Amino acid sequence: MKIVEKLTNHDLELFVSGRIDTVTAPELEAKIKEKFPSCLEISLDLSAVEYISSAGLRVVLAAYKAAGKTKRFIIKNPSPFCMQVFEATGMAPLLNIVNS
């Protein structure tokens, strides 16, 4: 997995590519936790994610819950595989998913 971050004012966009699985999910979780306090909006661009496991879903769900009503958490351009997983697990209606 590779993470490229773009910080603009208080908005953080993380471009994630590769696999989000048991091995790599902790890295994504650490990056989100590190940046979360200083950001008003966090978006994950998952267009280049080829696989997401339950460990990756846990990280996405934890970030969504942590955002609550005070911050925005956005999933941008999920890959077809990610979208299929979000739909199969019932997470799609919960998440703020944007395709641009």
Side-chain angles (χ1 to χ4, degrees):
M1 178 185 71
K2 182 177 176 186
I3 303 171
V4 176
E5 69 178 74
K6 177 182 172 187
L7 183 61
T8 309
N9 296 324
H10 295 288
D11 297 341
L12 175 67
E13 186 167 11
L14 298 176
F15 298 91
V16 185
S17 59
R19 297 172 56 92
I20 307 173
D21 55 25
T22 323
V23 174
T24 60
E27 180 185 351
L28 179 59
E29 182 176 32
K31 179 64 76 175
I32 292 171
K33 283 184 176 181
E34 171 193 343
K35 301 293 183 176
F36 207 83
S38 61
C39 294
L40 297 175
E41 177 178 297
I42 293 181
S43 61
L44 295 181
D45 187 312
L46 303 180
S47 58
V49 171
E50 57 198 43
Y51 176 80
I52 186 166
S53 72
S54 59
L57 289 175
R58 184 187 59 75
V59 171
V60 170
L61 189 58
Y64 163 77
K65 287 181 176 181
K69 294 182 192 272
T70 59
K71 298 177 187 250
R72 286 183 42 131
F73 181 72
I74 301 167
I75 301 292
K76 286 188 175 179
N77 308 313
S79 68
F81 184 84
C82 286
M83 196 61 213
Q84 182 181 25
V85 171
F86 292 151
E87 289 171 348
T89 59
M91 287 178 61
L94 294 175
L95 300 172
N96 184 8
I97 299 174
V98 176
N99 289 299
S100 52

